[in-house]
Amino acid sequence: MAKAFKYGLKGITGYLEPAERELLRGLVDDVISMLEPEARENQDPLAALIGLDMEVKEPKDRALQRLLPNVMKGDDAGSLEFRQLTERSLREGKIGALRAVALGLDKDDLVLTPEQARYWSMGLNDVRLVLAERLDIRDEADADHVHLMQDWSQAEDVESYLALVYNFTTWLQESLVQAMLAARERKA
Amino acid sequence: MTPSVAIGTDIEERSDTEQQSSTDVLAAPDIPWNLVIWNDPVNLMSYVSYVFQSYFGYSEAKANKLMLEVHRKGRSIVAHGSKEQVEQHAVAMHGYGLWATVEKAASGNAGPGKGGVQRG
């Protein structure tokens, strides 16, 4: 059984069972592959290097739309222009955070530096946003409904399994953020 | 947002210790663009407050107040400044997984007071 993250003398620590680490690694890898920028033919290498992508489009997948949202409501042209300048580096930043989570999953005992904790909180958040899209969580009532699924013996189909996984990552992120807030308070 | 256990009931009374943030310094009344954070049913209340504290340097009380405004009203203006400044904040918020947009401030709607940051 996983242990909640806590803040103590060693910093932010937690513990995950091998099966839980395996589960998280799979989720993290899935989100990384969703976020990998498309390889483009005739991509200007210099443009790619500085993060420009003039052929980028608004994502069609709802989960990707949530991870990489339009920056302006009611201004698709303005949003697309911004996307051309920023989406590639946003994707890379998110992938970097998720890779940091994957690296940390190599050990049972988790001891996170403040920087690693920040990456973990971002990575877990993106994993949850993707799971929430797959679970069709549109409002707080949907979220409450999913939240009721807490017992692994209830897992009988893909949806109930996803709900349990979502609740597990929610619990893990909540405990991590509480530990990070406790660390901030200690320093203040 | 998804409720967090740690958000106590005492935060409403604790608005007297608000800090000046870097955003306050950057903002000027003649370049009114707003950074808007939208509610969603996934992001944890604790996480949204943490992001406001760590990225903008807001006090816990102010971060919680803005977070609750997002939660209750569906959106909150959490910073304003020039278009470039709020766009930079927006992409940082997207990095954290918060749903952020930028918008031109309606005249006289750039946030109360000259501090430059809406106090919810």
Side-chain angles (χ1 to χ4, degrees), chain B residues 5-120:
Chain B
V5 285
I7 303 302
T9 51
D10 58 336
I11 52 174
E12 300 285 0
E13 292 105 73
R14 296 179 49 195
S15 55
D16 53 331
T17 52
E18 307 200 331
Q19 300 167 344
Q20 285 289 313
S21 75
S22 55
T23 316
D24 291 311
V25 180
L26 290 170
D30 55 330
I31 37 173
W33 277 75
N34 293 333
L35 176 71
V36 181
I37 302 293
W38 298 83
N39 191 33
D40 74 61
V42 178
N43 285 347
L44 294 167
M45 295 170 91
S46 55
Y47 180 65
V48 173
S49 177
Y50 157 76
V51 171
F52 290 169
Q53 289 177 51
S54 67
Y55 177 79
F56 293 109
Y58 292 162
S59 68
E60 184 188 353
K62 180 173 188 162
N64 284 339
K65 203 170 182 178
L66 291 170
M67 176 276 291
L68 285 172
E69 186 172 86
V70 174
H71 183 63
R72 288 174 183 157
K73 297 186 181 164
R75 54 168 270 163
S76 175
I77 295 165
V78 302
H80 62 260
S82 70
K83 186 164 187 258
E84 288 70 27
Q85 285 162 355
V86 293
E87 280 179 345
Q88 197 186 336
H89 293 328
V91 80
M93 293 299 105
H94 295 168
Y96 280 103
L98 269 57
W99 181 16
T101 59
V102 302
E103 63 182 26
K104 228 179 244 172
S107 58
N109 190 29
K114 56 186 174 181
V117 171
Q118 176 126 346
R119 292 173 193 276

Side-chain angles (χ1 to χ4, degrees), chain A residues 10 14 19 27 32 35 37-38 51 56 78 81 106 113 120 124 126-127 129 136 139 150 168 172 179:
Chain A
K10 282 197 276 182
L27 294 168
I32 288 175
L35 284 166
E38 274 175 58
V56 74
E81 194 184 329
D106 286 343
T113 64
W120 271 69
L124 287 174
D126 281 348
V127 165
L129 287 170
D136 217 22
D139 55 29
Q150 293 288 351
F168 171 70
L172 193 63

Side-chain angles (χ1 to χ4, degrees), chain A:
Chain A
M1 217 18 212
K3 287 184 194 144
F5 280 104
K6 62 177 200 286
Y7 176 67
L9 290 175
K10 282 197 276 182
I12 293 174
T13 57
Y15 171 81
L16 292 170
E17 293 279 352
E20 293 162 336
R21 284 188 280 127
E22 215 41 51
L23 171 72
L24 264 186
R25 187 189 303 277
L27 294 168
V28 164
D29 287 347
D30 283 350
V31 180
I32 288 175
S33 52
M34 284 174 64
L35 284 166
E36 296 278 6
E38 274 175 58
R40 306 221 187 274
E41 286 177 43
N42 308 321
Q43 165 79 43
D44 178 346
L46 182 61
L49 195 67
I50 58 174
L52 292 180
D53 184 354
M54 304 317 279
E55 291 168 65
V56 74
K57 299 251 175 1
E58 186 183 339
K60 290 201 176 68
D61 179 72
R62 289 191 74 132
L64 268 184
Q65 282 173 6
R66 181 59 189 79
L67 294 181
L68 311 165
N70 278 346
V71 78
M72 278 177 262
K73 285 209 165 186
D75 184 352
D76 290 348
S79 291
L80 183 65
E81 194 184 329
F82 188 70
R83 198 176 277 285
Q84 290 167 344
L85 304 175
T86 58
E87 190 188 284
R88 186 171 283 265
S89 45
L90 178 59
R91 283 175 183 261
E92 282 163 3
K94 285 178 176 292
I95 290 170
L98 289 158
R99 290 223 171 100
V101 178
L103 269 177
L105 287 169
D106 286 343
K107 285 175 288 183
D108 288 351
D109 286 309
L110 301 164
V111 183
L112 303 182
T113 64
E115 194 60 8
Q116 286 168 331
R118 197 171 71 88
Y119 287 143
W120 271 69
S121 70
M122 298 164 93
L124 287 174
N125 204 67
D126 281 348
V127 165
R128 291 182 58 245
L129 287 170
V130 171
L131 286 170
E133 281 303 329
R134 302 297 180 242
L135 281 162
D136 217 22
I137 298 177
R138 297 276 165 256
D139 55 29
E140 322 261 332
D142 295 340
D144 289 346
H145 188 72
V146 166
H147 192 68
L148 294 174
M149 288 287 296
Q150 293 288 351
D151 183 351
W152 285 90
S153 66
Q154 290 174 285
E156 48 198 21
D157 52 25
V158 173
E159 201 190 8
S160 54
Y161 177 75
L162 273 184
L164 288 158
V165 170
Y166 176 79
N167 290 333
F168 171 70
T169 52
T170 300
W171 170 81
L172 193 63
Q173 191 198 10
E174 177 65 36
S175 85
L176 174 60
V177 173
Q178 293 304 338
M180 291 163 77
L181 288 168
R184 276 185 76 81
E185 212 158 284
R186 195 77 56 93
K187 270 183 214 126

